[in-house]
């Protein structure tokens, strides 16, 4: 047996060196229910899954039915030639594919050529983005992941092979009007610029199921602490401790919610490159400051980038574990080396995490080529600059999450780079780009990529824009104003102050629902924010039926078949359709099934495109029939650990409704050891005065934070 393995290995090496491993159909091994893996050639040691140190959540995967490999195996091929790996996966006619990371302008990816490359988003969907996750899903109900830490070139249905079964007929451009510069292609082809790679296929049957399996295999989605879902304000870069305390006071006095404040570069004695230690003039007594803030129930999040100044206390110790090049004169820790990780983490722990800092905003780990380390840089681990670039965000998230885990205290922070396998990290991606529309498309795409994204609010030209942006950020993973340079406050536009307050408080009311939806992300892999293409009615079968309709007479069919990039789902029941500056009305696609207005409970439509004119004060939100939304009274901070809170359970429509409400202590990792409860909510009739409603009790010995419960039947039918 050993001899055989050796022989295979030798053949692989010889083939790899001489530049040839003929095209073959990979052989697949089912490594978890509905998850298949194949190893092609000789993969790099450093890949995405091992950088993220994923721990597949097998119990979650076992709960999903699994059956058979979802693609025709004989149509997948892999070849290693001249030190490069070529992969090919089939596509059928009309198949749509989604994913390939955090894109900002487009949802469907068929027909694209992308180079997946961690980078600051530069304004076009060319593969360079904050999270260029090499994962795609198909409306045929499967997903594919390429576990590589290289820059991958993806031809997502653009290239045609001679032997293609569906090869388009050559047409004469001189005479034939049907000639097309981009003829039909029946495959996704991927170039991995190294001698091998691990590839994974995730079964459906639905597109959402494939996403769920990917998230579960990556360890399950992250579960933020409850306070992370409250409101957060980032203060101007040079604010002092006294100014930060004053900021918190003014939120309280004006009745605006606030759970955590973000400090920007000025908390550090020097930045760009960073010392990652407190500035003694602006923050003379860090521990006292953190304590005072905590007493007023406000947590603190610290900005940093990872490039260390010669003046950082960690500099001397980390120097030998840094790369050949500097960034703004700072050294670049090789975070694939455990010693470098430890020195870096020590710097965060001492005088920061150990005095009660709740999390970090880790900036600039995505790069702009003009200031980041170049691809010719060398790192002491021997990993290439390219590989370090592709994995840096994952490594930073992994090590900092573990630091907080060791203290049994959850964190929720911000990061500007991530990659495949990062679903379980409690970090939200943000950037400096500022198109409100594109921010929503990114929110949709985050749901295909196992990452979280915030359409952060910074500044606005008008009160209208301010309110429109606030409305959407309140329906996102992190409700945040980033005033690092603008100094804006929620009340900066007095003409919309009342409405802004209403929405920030609505965000707080929604925490029981949002928290449950994050628990589903963790335990079931379902992204809490996701595009319509992950909903029922968007699968290939449903679309084929719609294609047979006369599109001109059916705006619904047309809408479903085109891409929908300006409305999305928040959790199981809420459909959110943001309004943008200048718009007074908009179209909304309501999938099949009855939908109801979130605010009034009134029937809104069923399987149709509706047009709404909601007024400036409202962001359109709709609820599925039978929808149950557990809310709590408006408050300024999320419930603390062990604090009981009352529930108002809203019910919409007329279908019998059920919902599983999640509960745990909201702050620690004890849920990983079973300290949580799911409570069944059910509603059998919407008749006022004759309701049949139940909320099951928490299991004995399990967390129970629910106080008084009131029921609200929103739909009077
Ligand atoms: C940027 C970051 C901003 C802000 C700023 C501070 O890189 O995207 O949100 O933190 O740095 O200098």
């Amino acid at each position: 047996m050993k001899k055989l393995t050796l022989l295979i290995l030798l053949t692989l090496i010889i083939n790899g060196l001489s530049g040839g491993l003929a095209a073959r159909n990979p052989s697949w091994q089912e490594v978890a229910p509905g998850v298949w893996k194949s190893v092609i050639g000789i993969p790099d040691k450093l890949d995405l899954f091992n950088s993220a140190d994923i721990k597949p959540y097998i119990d979650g995967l076992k709960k999903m039915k699994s059956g058979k490999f979802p693609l025709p195996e004989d149509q997948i091929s892999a070849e290693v030639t001249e030190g490069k790996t070529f992969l090919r996966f089939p596509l059928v006619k009309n198949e749509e594919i989604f994913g390939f990371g955090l894109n900002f302008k487009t949802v469907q990816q068929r027909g694209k050529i992308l180079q997946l490359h961690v980078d600051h988003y530069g304004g076009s969907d060319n593969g360079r983005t904050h999270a260029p996750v090499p994962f795609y899903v198909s409306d045929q109900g499967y997903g594919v992941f390429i576990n590589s830490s290289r820059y991958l070139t993806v031809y997502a249905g653009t290239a045609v092979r001679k032997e293609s079964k569906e090869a388009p007929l050559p047409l004469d451009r001189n005479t034939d009007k049907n000639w097309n510069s981009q003829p039909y292609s029946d495959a996704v082809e991927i170039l991995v610029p190294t001698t091998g790679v691990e590839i994974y296929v995730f079964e459906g049957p639905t597109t959402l199921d494939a996403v769920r399996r990917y998230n579960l295999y990556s360890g399950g989605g992250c579960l933020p602490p409850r306070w992370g879902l409250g409101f957060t304000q980032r203060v101007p870069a040079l604010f002092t401790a006294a100014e930060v305390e004053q900021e918190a006071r003014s939120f309280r006095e004006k009745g605006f919610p606030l759970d955590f404040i973000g400090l920007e570069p000025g908390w550090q004695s020097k930045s760009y490159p960073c010392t990652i230690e407190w500035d003694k003039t602006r923050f003379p007594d860090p521990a006292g400051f953190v304590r005072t803030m905590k007493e007023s129930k406000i947590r603190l999040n610290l900005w940093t980038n990872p490039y260390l100044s010669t003046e950082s206390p960690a500099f001397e110790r980390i120097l030998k574990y840094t790369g050949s090049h500097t960034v703004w004169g700072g050294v670049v820790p090789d975070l694939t080396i455990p010693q470098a990780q430890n020195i870096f983490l020590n710097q965060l722990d001492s005088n920061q995490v150990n005095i009660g800092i709740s999390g970090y905003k880790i900036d600039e780990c995505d790069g702009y080529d003009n200031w980041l380390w170049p691809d010719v840089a060398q790192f002491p681990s021997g990993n290439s600059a390219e590989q370090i670039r592709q994995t840096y965000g994952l490594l930073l998230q992994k090590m900092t999450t573990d630091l907080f885990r060791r203290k049994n205290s959850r964190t929720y922070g911000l990061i500007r780079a991530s990659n495949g396998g990062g679903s379980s990290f409690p970090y939200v991606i943000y950037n400096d780009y500022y198109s409100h529309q594109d921010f929503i498309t990114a929110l949709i795409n985050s749901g295909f990529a196992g990452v979280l994204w915030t359409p952060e609010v910074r500044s606005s030209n008008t009160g209208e824009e301010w309110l429109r942006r606030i409305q959407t950020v309140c329906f996102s993973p992190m409700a945040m104003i980033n005033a690092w340079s603008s100094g804006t406050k929620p009340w900066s536009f007095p003409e919309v102050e009342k409405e802004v307050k209403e929405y920030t408080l609505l965000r707080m009311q929604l925490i029981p629902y949002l928290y449950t939806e994050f628990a589903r992300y963790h335990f079931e892999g379902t992204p809490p924010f996701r595009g319509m293409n992950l909903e029922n009615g968007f699968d290939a079968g449903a679309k084929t039926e719609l294609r047979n309709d006369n599109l001109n007479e059916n705006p619904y069919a047309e809408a479903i078949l085109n891409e929908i990039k300006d409305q999305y789902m928040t959790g199981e029941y809420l459909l959110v359709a943001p309004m943008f500056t200048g718009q007074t009305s908009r179209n909304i696609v309501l999938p099949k099934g009855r939908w109801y207005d979130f605010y009034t409970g009134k029937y809104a439509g069923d399987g149709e495109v509706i047009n709404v004119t909601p007024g400036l004060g409202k962001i359109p939100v709709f609820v599925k029939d039978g929808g149950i939304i557990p809310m709590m009274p408006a408050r300024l901070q999320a419930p603390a650990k062990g604090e009981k809170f009352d529930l108002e359970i809203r019910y919409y429509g007329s279908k019998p409704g059920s919902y599983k409400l999640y509960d745990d202590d909201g702050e620690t990792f004890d849920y990983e050891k079973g300290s949580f409860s799911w409570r069944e909510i059910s509603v059998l009739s919407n008749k006022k005065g004759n309701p049949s409603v139940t909320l099951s009790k928490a299991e004995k010995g399990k967390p129970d934070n629910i106080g008084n419960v009131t029921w609200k039947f929103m739909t009077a039918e």
Side-chain angles (χ1 to χ4, degrees):
M1 191 61 198
K2 259 191 190 153
K3 266 190 193 153
L4 189 68
T5 325
L6 204 69
L7 200 71
I8 294 173
L9 206 68
L10 265 175
T11 323
L12 282 175
I13 292 173
I14 291 165
N15 277 333
L17 290 180
S18 67
L21 191 76
R24 64 177 175 100
N25 304 127
S27 54
W28 298 93
Q29 188 201 352
E30 191 172 1
V31 288
V35 183
W36 281 267
K37 169 178 158 179
S38 179
V39 182
I40 313 298
I42 307 166
D44 288 324
K45 281 214 189 76
L46 186 73
D47 61 34
L48 299 178
F49 277 168
N50 66 26
S51 301
D53 193 18
I54 60 156
K55 309 252 171 351
Y57 182 45
I58 301 293
D59 283 351
L61 283 161
K62 276 190 187 149
K63 289 200 183 119
M64 298 179 72
K65 275 196 206 121
S66 70
K68 60 178 205 344
F69 191 78
L71 279 164
E73 285 187 48
D74 61 346
Q75 289 178 41
I76 303 176
S77 71
E79 184 175 349
V80 181
T81 301
E82 292 178 352
K84 292 181 183 160
T85 306
F86 304 89
L87 306 171
R88 182 178 193 276
F89 299 89
L91 293 172
V92 296
K93 272 255 157 67
N94 290 328
E95 179 169 355
E96 289 173 355
I97 54 176
F98 309 94
F100 293 120
L102 193 63
N103 288 302
F104 284 73
K105 288 188 183 289
T106 51
V107 178
Q108 300 186 40
Q109 300 301 320
R110 188 165 182 171
K112 293 281 198 55
I113 299 175
L114 305 163
Q115 199 191 35
L116 303 183
H117 188 312
V118 171
D119 201 346
H120 197 282
Y121 182 68
S124 66
D125 287 1
N126 57 12
R128 282 187 171 243
T129 179
H130 307 269
V133 180
F135 175 63
Y136 69 94
V137 285
S138 155
D139 67 350
Q140 306 279 317
Y142 67 87
V144 173
F145 179 68
I146 313 299
N147 186 18
S148 171
S149 57
R150 300 282 172 168
Y151 304 145
L152 306 181
T153 310
V154 175
Y155 301 88
T158 61
V160 190
R161 290 201 177 219
K162 282 188 292 190
E163 67 269 23
S164 165
K165 284 203 195 89
E166 306 265 8
L169 288 177
L171 302 176
D172 174 24
R173 193 180 183 182
N174 291 339
T175 54
D176 197 331
K177 279 207 246 35
N178 292 326
W179 183 89
N180 184 346
S181 62
Q182 291 178 35
Y184 177 78
S185 153
D186 62 357
V188 174
E189 298 198 68
I190 299 176
L191 169 58
V192 184
T194 189
T195 54
V197 69
E198 271 183 15
I199 52 181
Y200 288 79
V201 167
F202 296 86
E203 193 186 335
T206 66
T207 317
L208 178 60
D209 286 333
V211 171
R212 293 174 60 205
R213 284 186 212 266
Y214 164 78
N215 286 331
L216 290 171
Y217 196 75
S218 300
C222 78
L223 179 60
R226 264 200 192 93
W227 57 260
L229 300 179
F231 199 83
T232 180
Q233 171 86 6
R234 304 200 69 86
V235 297
L238 294 180
F239 255 31
T240 61
E243 285 170 313
V244 177
E245 285 168 22
Q246 176 51 39
E247 184 95 339
R249 255 195 309 278
S250 51
F251 267 72
R252 198 165 43 247
E253 282 162 13
K254 287 177 172 285
F256 280 83
L258 182 65
D259 265 289
F260 58 112
I261 285 187
L263 307 187
E264 289 286 321
W267 74 270
Q268 299 195 25
S269 55
K270 295 223 162 119
S271 69
Y272 295 88
C274 291
T275 54
I276 319 193
E277 69 165 1
W278 295 92
D279 180 79
K280 297 271 162 23
T281 54
R282 289 183 285 272
F283 296 88
D285 172 19
F289 164 64
V290 175
R291 208 178 320 113
T292 312
M293 294 299 291
K294 216 166 198 172
E295 278 159 15
S296 58
K297 301 188 183 152
I298 309 293
R299 291 178 165 77
L300 291 159
N301 172 290
L302 300 180
W303 172 98
T304 196
N305 66 49
Y307 314 119
L308 289 171
S309 149
T310 51
E311 288 173 50
S312 170
F315 180 81
E316 291 298 335
R317 272 172 299 138
I318 213 160
L319 188 57
K320 66 173 174 226
Y321 306 111
T322 59
S324 55
H325 287 63
T326 57
V327 177
W328 301 299
V331 290
V332 181
D334 183 340
L335 296 175
T336 63
I337 302 177
Q339 287 93 327
Q341 291 197 4
N342 288 338
I343 298 166
F344 192 86
L345 283 182
N346 244 334
Q347 187 56 31
L348 304 188
D349 196 12
S350 67
N351 220 17
Q352 292 157 42
V353 180
N354 71 5
I355 60 169
I357 288 301
S358 71
Y360 287 88
K361 166 177 172 177
I362 312 180
D363 206 25
E364 304 290 0
C365 45
D366 48 347
Y368 258 138
D369 284 357
N370 286 354
W371 58 61
L372 214 70
W373 65 85
D375 286 347
V376 296
Q378 284 152 349
F379 285 86
S381 60
N383 290 310
S384 69
E386 167 188 8
Q387 291 178 288
I388 304 265
R389 174 100 175 238
Q390 294 292 76
T391 57
Y392 219 57
L394 287 177
L395 293 163
L396 283 159
Q397 293 178 83
K398 159 76 189 140
M399 42 195 263
T400 48
T401 305
D402 282 353
L403 174 64
F404 284 95
R405 183 180 270 109
R406 288 201 285 275
K407 298 179 190 292
N408 199 21
S409 178
R410 277 181 252 169
T411 180
Y412 197 44
L414 292 148
I415 189 91
R416 238 176 51 187
S418 192
N419 211 327
S423 316
S424 74
F425 298 136
Y427 279 92
V428 183
I429 305 174
Y430 64 97
N431 70 6
D432 290 339
Y433 186 73
Y434 204 47
S435 153
H436 189 187
Q437 279 91 337
D438 292 358
F439 271 17
I440 301 311
T441 306
L443 191 55
I444 288 169
N445 281 321
S446 68
F448 297 112
V451 297
L452 300 173
W453 159 258
T454 174
E456 67 170 37
V457 184
R458 296 200 284 271
S459 57
S460 290
N461 293 321
T462 59
E464 178 196 4
E465 183 193 344
W466 185 250
L467 178 56
R468 289 309 188 197
R469 285 183 180 272
I470 294 276
Q471 286 168 340
T472 52
V473 88
C474 286
F475 286 93
S476 85
M478 194 179 275
M480 171 168 76
I481 293 178
N482 177 11
W484 75 277
S485 99
S486 59
T488 47
K489 322 273 180 216
W491 51 89
S492 284
F493 293 84
E495 65 274 33
V496 292
E497 178 177 342
K498 188 175 131 276
E499 290 82 359
V500 168
K501 186 187 272 183
E502 226 172 82
Y503 273 95
T504 55
L505 289 171
L506 175 60
R507 166 71 178 205
M508 302 306 291
Q509 289 180 271
L510 283 169
I511 285 180
Y513 174 71
L514 294 174
Y515 193 60
T516 297
E517 293 301 326
F518 269 97
R520 295 182 60 220
Y521 188 33
H522 177 70
F523 289 99
E524 296 168 12
T526 308
F529 298 88
R530 57 186 184 274
M532 303 313 298
N533 293 90
L534 292 176
E535 282 297 285
N536 283 338
F538 286 78
D539 56 287
K543 279 187 277 194
T544 305
E545 265 178 43
L546 291 172
R547 264 190 199 97
N548 297 333
D549 285 353
N550 182 346
L551 292 192
N552 292 331
E553 284 164 23
N554 187 348
Y556 176 70
E558 198 176 357
I560 294 262
L561 295 171
N562 285 334
E563 69 177 9
I564 303 179
K565 54 184 193 171
D566 59 357
Q567 64 176 67
Y568 59 95
M569 296 300 297
T570 293
E572 165 113 25
Y573 290 123
L574 298 181
L575 186 161
V576 180
M579 300 287 295
F580 305 109
T581 308
Q583 264 185 342
T584 48
S585 67
R586 63 159 289 171
N587 285 346
I588 297 169
V589 186
L590 296 177
K592 291 228 160 79
R594 293 165 71 81
W595 291 82
Y596 297 83
D597 183 283
F598 170 73
Y599 307 97
T600 63
K602 284 207 180 99
Y603 174 72
D606 176 349
E608 61 191 293
V609 178
I610 59 167
N611 187 271
V612 295
T613 309
L616 183 56
K618 290 270 177 301
I619 175 174
V621 180
F622 297 93
V623 190
K624 262 183 217 168
D625 194 6
I628 289 174
I629 315 289
M631 296 172 62
M632 63 181 187
R635 49 192 291 155
L636 301 188
Q637 275 94 30
K641 187 175 154 200
E643 183 185 340
K644 283 215 186 266
F645 53 89
D646 294 345
L647 273 192
E648 174 188 289
I649 302 179
R650 293 194 185 177
Y651 164 76
Y652 292 82
S654 57
K655 235 166 88 171
S658 69
Y659 190 67
K660 270 166 55 188
L661 176 72
Y662 178 78
D663 194 8
D664 67 12
D665 69 25
E667 285 185 19
T668 74
F669 285 91
D670 292 357
Y671 71 95
E672 290 183 344
K673 297 177 216 115
S675 187
F676 59 82
S677 51
W678 290 100
R679 296 175 63 175
E680 246 358 286
I681 301 177
S682 89
V683 178
L684 284 179
S685 151
N686 76 337
K687 295 277 176 327
K688 279 187 184 169
N690 184 23
S692 163
V693 296
T694 48
L695 167 66
S696 70
K697 287 206 161 62
E699 259 177 80
K700 261 221 162 94
K702 299 279 175 153
D704 177 8
N705 295 302
I706 310 300
N708 293 326
V709 179
T710 49
W711 301 81
K712 199 161 170 187
F713 289 82
M714 296 297 294
T715 306
E717 273 187 348

